[in-house]
Amino acid sequence: MQATSEQPQYTSLENYDNIEQIRSKFPALANINIDHKFDNIKDSRFFIIRTQGEDNVHRAMKYGIWTSSSRKNERLDEAFKNKKEDVYLFFTEINSMCFSGMAKLTSQFNAKSHFKYWLIENKWFGTFQIQWLYVKDLPFKLFDEIKQIQKLEGSEETLKSVYDLIDCTELTTENGIKMAQIFQLEKTNKSLFEEFPQLDKLEYESRQERTNNIRFEKKFQELSAVFETIPFSFSVASYERKKTNRKAQGSYYQSQYNQQYYYQQPYQQYYQQPFVGYQFQQTPQYWQFNNGFYQNQYQQNQYNNKQSFNKQQQPYDKNQYQQNNYQNQQQQQNVNTQQPQQNLTQEENQDLQSVPLEQRFQVNSQQLQKRGKFDKNRNKNNKDNVQYVEKHQTEAPVQKY
């Protein structure tokens, strides 16, 4: 197998008018547009390949390689391994209104051979080896009569023309033979070779840019290494999304039984997840400034148990309870009687009027007034049951200067 760093050398021609020169220059195109016989292809398998642009087909024709998404590569690899006859591919580009060529798979999928210079960088990995049979532009109108039923997940069966089928759809044997015969019999001078000079220039620029790019090489090595471990289930978009989510969450705590609990960074150094049996507390509580403890029922219970562990439970004494209750009532009455109401006399009012306007709103410490405040006590079982309890505290009014 090829190493991931080995890439096919850049090759091109000044012009692509001479078909014999093309056949001799590119090994994958050595047998194009000749009279291939399709006599014993009843057990062959046929697939429609739809690509995003001409650039990918251009590279596939020059170097005889192909790749696609992981699931589609798995489908083609399974077809090649279990084949009775050859596996054929019909290529078309999106919005091209024609089929551009017909090729044959010549190897199974190589998950360790990667081509760096596809149209989009770091998106497709691994390669198949293919051999081209026909390179010619055949318009879709030649295939109007070839139709096939397509069934997608979550949708009904629909009858479509072969050029409307999605990428990597397997054709029936009858439809595949019909398409192969059309490629064999139709004569045309139009082909993708007309665009090769411009596509060669784009490929050369892409090679220069990516070869000297350290960032691209580092990313390519990272993604290709992950791809080789899971070639038929790897997705670049999914990998990048998970990687971004891990960075956004910051540091995390890896618990037993493969459970991950992500915490916000400011509270990471304080919080440790308590372990209870085989389960963890579901939600971590934020740090509260209540003597350094968390507002967490489990931890509070643990703290209370530690505080009261050495306390001995005293027997209940009815007489002692009544005596303590009576003493508490007497202390409350004494507190209420020691706070008499203070009223301003007329002399004090006159003295207050003689004060200049600048100091009129200054209140001395002796001019305290009792303000009645009420506390709301709600019943836990019935929130509508509210009791108002008066607080007997004296507060000084706001001083204005």
Side-chain angles (χ1 to χ4, degrees):
M1 291 186 179
Q2 295 180 351
T4 56
S5 60
E6 295 180 358
Q7 298 294 316
Q9 295 182 357
Y10 173 76
T11 54
S12 64
L13 295 173
E14 295 182 0
N15 61 76
Y16 293 85
D17 298 333
N18 190 341
I19 191 67
E20 294 297 335
Q21 191 176 5
I22 295 174
R23 291 170 181 168
S24 61
K25 185 68 173 179
F26 304 101
L29 302 174
N31 299 319
I32 60 170
N33 299 345
I34 62 176
D35 188 11
H36 295 279
K37 295 182 179 180
F38 299 106
D39 296 333
N40 299 321
I41 58 174
K42 294 182 179 180
D43 295 329
S44 300
R45 302 180 68 172
F46 306 88
F47 291 88
I48 295 292
I49 303 298
R50 299 177 65 90
T51 66
Q52 293 183 349
E54 298 173 345
D55 301 73
N56 294 329
V57 181
H58 165 259
R59 275 68 153 180
M61 289 181 178
K62 289 175 62 175
Y63 306 113
I65 56 176
W66 183 249
T67 189
S68 184
S69 63
S70 295
R71 293 184 179 180
K72 296 169 185 176
N73 288 337
E74 183 180 15
R75 190 179 306 172
L76 295 176
D77 186 65
E78 181 274 332
F80 184 84
K81 290 179 179 179
N82 301 328
K83 68 175 184 174
K84 296 180 180 179
E85 296 292 338
D86 293 327
V87 179
Y88 296 98
L89 310 176
F90 299 101
F91 284 81
T92 179
E93 298 84 34
I94 298 175
N95 299 327
S96 66
M97 302 300 294
C98 67
F99 284 99
S100 58
M102 176 181 176
K104 177 176 66 175
L105 276 181
T106 58
S107 73
Q108 64 184 23
F109 186 69
N110 186 354
K112 295 186 177 181
S113 175
H114 312 290
F115 184 66
K116 295 182 179 180
Y117 309 113
W118 297 112
L119 176 61
I120 302 177
E121 65 180 42
N122 291 331
K123 185 174 182 180
W124 297 290
F125 298 91
T127 53
F128 290 98
Q129 297 295 321
I130 60 176
Q131 189 73 27
W132 288 87
L133 305 179
Y134 294 100
V135 177
K136 56 178 71 175
D137 290 346
L138 300 181
F140 285 159
K141 64 181 181 180
L142 298 175
F143 305 90
D144 285 337
E145 297 181 358
I146 306 177
K147 299 183 182 297
Q148 182 169 316
I149 296 176
Q150 186 170 62
K151 178 67 172 65
L152 300 177
E153 295 182 2
S155 62
E156 299 180 354
E157 294 182 352
T158 55
L159 183 64
K160 294 184 177 181
S161 300
V162 289
Y163 50 77
D164 287 332
L165 299 176
I166 63 175
D167 183 27
C168 206
T169 299
E170 184 173 3
L171 299 174
T172 61
T173 303
E174 181 182 359
N175 289 341
I177 294 175
K178 289 180 180 179
M179 291 190 65
Q181 291 175 351
I182 293 176
F183 270 97
Q184 182 182 21
L185 299 176
E186 287 295 326
K187 305 296 182 181
T188 180
N189 294 326
K190 293 184 178 181
S191 67
L192 191 61
F193 291 139
E194 299 176 0
E195 305 294 335
F196 265 41
Q198 180 64 23
L199 295 174
D200 284 343
K201 181 180 178 180
L202 296 176
E203 181 194 354
Y204 180 79
E205 294 175 354
S206 176
R207 282 175 174 266
Q208 293 295 321
E209 178 182 358
R210 298 179 188 180
T211 302
N212 301 324
N213 192 334
I214 300 176
R215 179 197 61 80
F216 167 79
E217 186 65 26
K218 182 179 179 180
K219 193 68 175 179
F220 176 80
Q221 295 296 336
E222 175 188 352
L223 295 176
S224 60
V226 178
F227 174 84
E228 292 175 5
T229 60
I230 47 174
F232 295 133
S233 60
F234 178 75
S235 171
V236 176
S238 178
Y239 173 79
E240 294 292 345
R241 184 164 55 250
K242 291 179 181 179
K243 185 177 178 180
T244 303
N245 292 338
R246 288 195 297 269
K247 289 183 178 180
Q249 294 291 348
S251 58
Y252 65 93
Y253 169 75
Q254 177 69 40
S255 65
Q256 300 181 16
Y257 311 107
N258 296 326
Q259 300 184 26
Q260 291 183 356
Y261 292 87
Y262 292 88
Y263 304 132
Q264 293 186 3
Q265 186 66 26
Y267 310 102
Q268 173 67 17
Q269 56 184 340
Y270 302 109
Y271 187 83
Q272 291 184 355
Q273 191 76 344
F275 179 78
V276 184
Y278 292 97
Q279 296 181 354
F280 290 87
Q281 297 292 328
Q282 295 182 356
T283 306
Q285 302 295 329
Y286 288 160
W287 176 263
Q288 301 291 333
F289 294 98
N290 52 350
N291 298 329
F293 294 97
Y294 290 93
Q295 192 175 0
N296 185 297
Q297 187 63 33
Y298 169 76
Q299 291 184 337
Q300 189 66 35
N301 293 339
Q302 294 293 100
Y303 174 76
N304 295 337
N305 293 337
K306 291 180 181 179
Q307 295 295 329
S308 61
F309 180 76
N310 296 326
K311 292 184 180 180
Q312 296 181 358
Q313 186 175 2
Q314 299 180 358
Y316 175 74
D317 189 355
K318 183 177 181 181
N319 295 330
Q320 184 68 23
Y321 172 77
Q322 292 178 353
Q323 184 178 359
N324 294 337
N325 189 17
Y326 176 75
Q327 292 178 359
N328 293 335
Q329 292 179 0
Q330 291 296 328
Q331 293 178 1
Q332 185 66 25
Q333 291 179 2
N334 294 334
V335 171
N336 295 336
T337 56
Q338 291 176 4
Q339 296 177 355
Q341 296 182 357
Q342 298 181 2
N343 298 325
L344 294 175
T345 61
Q346 294 180 358
E347 295 179 358
E348 291 175 345
N349 292 333
Q350 293 177 0
D351 294 339
L352 183 61
Q353 293 179 358
S354 62
V355 176
L357 292 176
E358 297 178 355
Q359 301 179 359
R360 177 166 297 183
F361 293 99
Q362 293 182 355
V363 182
N364 298 329
S365 60
Q366 298 179 357
Q367 297 174 332
L368 298 178
Q369 296 180 356
K370 178 181 178 181
R371 290 187 177 183
K373 281 194 174 182
F374 297 88
D375 288 340
K376 292 183 180 181
N377 293 338
R378 293 182 179 272
N379 192 350
K380 294 183 179 179
N381 298 328
N382 186 6
K383 294 184 179 180
D384 296 333
N385 185 10
V386 180
Q387 296 181 358
Y388 292 89
V389 181
E390 183 176 0
K391 290 178 61 178
H392 297 284
Q393 296 181 357
T394 58
E395 296 183 2
V398 179
Q399 296 183 1
K400 298 182 180 181
Y401 295 97

